Amino acid sequence: MGQKVRPTGFRTGIMRPWRSTWYASKQDFAELLLEDNSIRKFIQNYLTDKKDRKQQRPAIADIRIERTRERVTVVVASSRVGAIIGKKGEKIDKLTKALEKLTRRHIEVKTVEVTRPEIDAQLIAEDIAEQLEKRASFRRTMKQAMQR
């Protein structure tokens, strides 16, 4: 086996931005890192709830976390921002309250729209997976994804 480098780790900070931007002392670092991971998992599970079959899935491309002393800002990048916000902002308010309860910190959730979802790898993979769940032909699905 050769010496292999993980592509995202190698490009972070150069071609791809950091997923979390904050600084912590040695005592707090592990706790905040685990908290970031739990926030990401919670948001993914909360927004891709399979109970609501009639609502469309929010295609989440990226979740970025920025911390200051008193505030945690979570930026959710998605191609379907309306599915995250909900009617009159109800869904995003519930998400914010649930995150504050989970972390016991003041959290601000922002949404950013992905302008070109056809070039984002995460969104393409989710689209292919959704089509395969609906029993679409895998050859046709892959050809269409490559064409787009």
Side-chain angles (χ1 to χ4, degrees):
M1 293 288 294
Q3 302 281 322
K4 292 183 175 56
V5 177
R6 185 163 181 233
T8 55
F10 188 64
R11 293 179 178 98
T12 301
I14 301 166
M15 293 173 62
R16 177 179 289 228
W18 294 93
R19 293 179 71 205
S20 297
T21 52
W22 47 268
Y23 181 80
S25 63
K26 283 186 177 183
Q27 294 85 16
D28 300 333
F29 186 84
E31 178 188 337
L32 293 177
L33 187 64
L34 289 173
E35 189 175 286
D36 280 4
N37 194 24
S38 66
I39 287 172
R40 284 192 180 89
K41 282 183 180 178
F42 182 81
I43 290 173
Q44 281 283 29
N45 292 336
Y46 187 86
L47 293 176
T48 57
D49 188 19
K50 296 195 177 193
K51 292 176 191 170
D52 297 333
R53 288 271 184 206
K54 59 187 173 197
Q55 290 182 349
Q56 59 177 227
R57 287 184 181 172
I60 300 171
D62 193 23
I63 300 171
R64 293 211 176 97
I65 299 172
E66 301 167 3
R67 292 180 187 269
T68 58
R69 287 182 189 241
E70 61 276 336
R71 179 178 301 230
V72 178
T73 306
V74 179
V75 181
V76 181
S78 173
S79 63
R80 302 177 191 151
V81 178
I84 294 173
I85 295 172
K87 292 181 181 176
K88 298 179 184 176
E90 292 172 2
K91 201 167 183 182
I92 202 161
D93 289 338
K94 286 182 184 177
L95 175 65
T96 304
K97 287 185 174 105
L99 283 172
E100 285 179 351
K101 186 177 179 183
L102 175 74
T103 60
R104 297 183 188 92
R105 299 177 195 272
H106 180 71
I107 292 187
E108 182 180 345
V109 180
K110 295 181 180 179
T111 56
V112 176
E113 186 173 6
V114 176
T115 53
R116 296 189 56 203
E118 64 272 1
I119 62 169
D120 192 289
Q122 179 69 33
L123 296 178
I124 293 170
E126 282 183 19
D127 184 46
I128 291 171
E130 192 174 325
Q131 287 182 30
L132 292 176
E133 284 176 1
K134 293 178 182 175
R135 310 292 242 153
S137 169
F138 70 92
R139 284 189 178 94
R140 185 173 30 129
T141 303
M142 290 301 293
K143 284 180 184 177
Q144 285 176 352
M146 286 189 290
Q147 275 182 341
R148 275 186 254 134

